[in-house]
Amino acid sequence: MTLSNSLWQNSQDLAQACLENPFVRGLADGTLPRDRFAYYVGQDAFFLESFARAYAIAAAKAPDWDGYGQFLQMAQGVLGELQLHQSYAAAWGVDLANVKPGAATRRYVDFLLATAWAGEVGRTTAAMTPCMRLYAFLGDRLAAEAQAEHAYSDWIRTYSSPEFAALAETLEQLTDRYGQDTDAVQDAYRYAMECERDFFQAAWESDLP
């Protein structure tokens, strides 16, 4: 079993908690209140900006040229995801320029950037991989449940797409290449999964100001 597979399997309790979160259940059947999705869009866009920066830091630290290029390509993928959020923001009336991060968002961002700046590339990828793998997992599960079009169908299609799955697999391959099965790597992965769970819960509990 690869390192990335082992890390994912060891976090199945958190993956299931995210799948069962009321925010995600609302995405699944289209019943999620609009204000909660609008809050999520703003918070996720703020997070993704830091996610792109973490890729750039990992690229600068990559010990080989191939890894450098792959990290930069992954950063480009995040920019594409941000464009999707911009379209959501326009449709849902969210001003992304004035988003203030909530406590769960700030906790996640601070952890991610601190890990990228101070840690080895393998630990950085371990901290980033849960976001990609979890969203691919959620997209697949929600797509399998989908019965009719609703307001969040585009979200489900995005994260269940082969293109997004390929991005998640690429990041896992980078984790396998640069990471080692150490306590620090395991802790980074697990903490990121906890941050994902808390991010969804904060979106469920919060409204736009």
Side-chain angles (χ1 to χ4, degrees), residues 20-54:
E20 296 173 1
N21 186 277
F23 180 91
V24 175
R25 302 321 308 160
L27 287 175
D29 61 14
T31 61
L32 182 68
R34 290 177 60 93
D35 57 352
R36 290 177 183 172
F37 186 71
Y39 176 86
Y40 161 84
V41 166
Q43 295 298 303
D44 202 40
F46 185 93
F47 167 79
L48 286 172
E49 291 179 0
S50 295
F51 204 68
R53 293 179 190 278

Side-chain angles (χ1 to χ4, degrees), residues 37-49 82 85-86 89 93-103 105-106 109 199 207-209:
F37 186 71
Y39 176 86
Y40 161 84
V41 166
Q43 295 298 303
D44 202 40
F46 185 93
F47 167 79
L48 286 172
E49 291 179 0
L82 278 169
H85 281 63
Q86 289 168 357
V94 181
D95 181 6
L96 294 182
N98 292 303
V99 169
K100 294 182 179 179
T105 306
R106 175 56 68 188
V109 165
F199 191 89
D207 299 328
L208 278 175

Side-chain angles (χ1 to χ4, degrees), residues 15 18 37 40 56 72 75 97 129 137 141 149 161 173 175 182 190:
C18 291
F37 186 71
Y40 161 84
L72 291 185
T129 299
F137 165 77
R141 289 297 184 92
E149 286 286 309
S161 69
Q173 289 166 5
T175 296
T182 63
R190 182 81 184 179

Side-chain angles (χ1 to χ4, degrees), residues 147-179:
Q147 297 182 354
E149 286 286 309
H150 54 68
Y152 308 115
S153 293
D154 282 346
W155 190 96
I156 295 172
R157 276 191 289 269
T158 294
Y159 294 111
S160 62
S161 69
E163 293 80 9
F164 190 82
L167 290 173
E169 290 169 5
T170 296
L171 186 51
E172 286 178 327
Q173 289 166 5
L174 289 166
T175 296
D176 294 335
R177 183 191 304 181
Y178 297 118

Side-chain angles (χ1 to χ4, degrees), residues 27 60 71 81-83 87 118 128 134 157-158 166 183 190 208:
L27 287 175
F71 282 122
E81 198 174 349
L82 278 169
Q83 290 178 348
S87 67
M128 299 180 73
L134 177 66
R157 276 191 289 269
T158 294
D183 288 345
R190 182 81 184 179
L208 278 175

Side-chain angles (χ1 to χ4, degrees), residues 53-75:
R53 293 179 190 278
Y55 273 132
I57 298 167
K61 290 186 173 184
D64 56 87
W65 191 247
D66 181 64
Y68 174 84
Q70 284 191 291
F71 282 122
L72 291 185
Q73 287 177 358
M74 295 294 286

